[in-house]
Amino acid sequence: MPPIPGSGLAKGLAVTLRTMTKKTVTAQYPDTQPELPPRSRGVIGLFEENCTVCMLCARECPDWCIYIDSHKETVPPAAPGGRERSRNVLDRFAIDFSLCMYCGICIEVCPFDALFWSPEFEYAETDIHELTHERDKLREWMWTVPEPPALDPGAEEPKEIAAARKTADKLAAQQAQQAQQAQQAQQAQQAQQAQQSEEGGTP
């Protein structure tokens, strides 16, 4: 049976009429901001205090879009009689987002939790050269990183927190011991001075 002339047009108009009666679901961006999933991959934030310039992120990046510069600095000994140490100081940390493919390998391989995913996505530029962002901008994005989900009530404490607490307790114990030793030395000195004054005043 040959198609009825104008049946295609009628079907198209029927679809249009059904759509016109439905409520719109289009978000009027940028007036209405989208609700992004908590694990959205927008940009990479840098927490540079944790960065030890180990270069793992730059070496493992398949696109070679991470640029790191550093210099060595001599650290004085922590205790008398100790030896000086050298440590790397971060000079530059930049990511070229025109090359980045958002694979997340740099975040996964970082052993010191210095890189994080941020849901921030509004960083379009008119010039491709301006998509290379330095550490100051990466640090600004760090504060847009959402908090991690809470652990289950019966879960074990993370090893990082346990190690940090152990180090803090050890440092607090050392400080308390030093304060106690200083107080004892001060009391001994006062007692010695009092004894000397008594001996000097004896006829």
Side-chain angles (χ1 to χ4, degrees):
M1 180 179 178
I4 300 175
S7 61
L9 178 62
K11 289 180 180 179
L13 290 174
V15 172
T16 303
L17 290 174
R18 284 199 304 270
T19 306
M20 289 175 61
T21 58
K22 292 181 180 179
K23 184 180 180 180
T24 180
V25 294
T26 303
Q28 299 299 323
Y29 177 82
D31 297 329
T32 304
Q33 293 293 324
E35 295 183 4
L36 300 175
R39 299 186 66 184
S40 299
R41 296 189 175 189
V43 290
I44 298 172
L46 171 68
F47 190 57
E48 63 180 275
E49 283 80 3
N50 287 357
C51 182
T52 61
V53 201
C54 65
M55 305 293 289
L56 271 176
C57 55
R59 287 200 298 264
E60 297 296 332
C61 177
D63 293 330
W64 293 89
C65 64
I66 300 177
Y67 311 115
I68 300 176
D69 292 330
S70 65
H71 70 276
K72 287 193 176 293
E73 188 177 80
T74 302
V75 180
R83 63 178 183 177
E84 295 181 344
R85 297 178 297 109
S86 63
R87 67 183 180 95
N88 291 321
V89 178
L90 184 66
D91 292 329
R92 185 194 184 204
F93 194 109
I95 299 178
D96 187 354
F97 285 99
S98 65
L99 297 177
C100 179
M101 64 180 184
Y102 304 90
C103 63
I105 292 178
C106 57
I107 297 174
E108 295 295 330
V109 301
C110 180
F112 300 104
D113 293 332
L115 297 173
F116 297 86
W117 278 120
S118 165
E120 182 67 36
F121 65 93
E122 296 177 314
Y123 58 98
E125 300 289 348
T126 56
D127 187 356
I128 193 173
H129 297 94
E130 296 179 1
L131 285 173
T132 301
H133 294 290
E134 301 293 334
R135 65 177 182 175
D136 294 336
K137 188 64 176 179
L138 300 180
R139 185 178 180 83
E140 289 180 17
W141 283 330
M142 181 63 211
W143 311 125
T144 64
V145 174
E147 294 184 3
L151 296 175
D152 293 334
E156 295 182 359
E157 186 179 44
K159 295 180 180 179
E160 296 84 0
I161 296 179
R165 180 176 289 108
K166 183 178 179 181
T167 303
D169 293 343
K170 184 178 179 181
L171 181 61
Q174 289 178 351
Q175 291 177 347
Q177 184 179 5
Q178 291 176 356
Q180 185 178 4
Q181 291 176 352
Q183 185 177 5
Q184 291 176 353
Q186 185 178 6
Q187 290 176 352
Q189 185 178 6
Q190 291 176 353
Q192 185 178 4
Q193 291 177 352
Q195 184 178 2
Q196 289 177 354
S197 62
E198 289 178 359
E199 292 176 355
T202 303

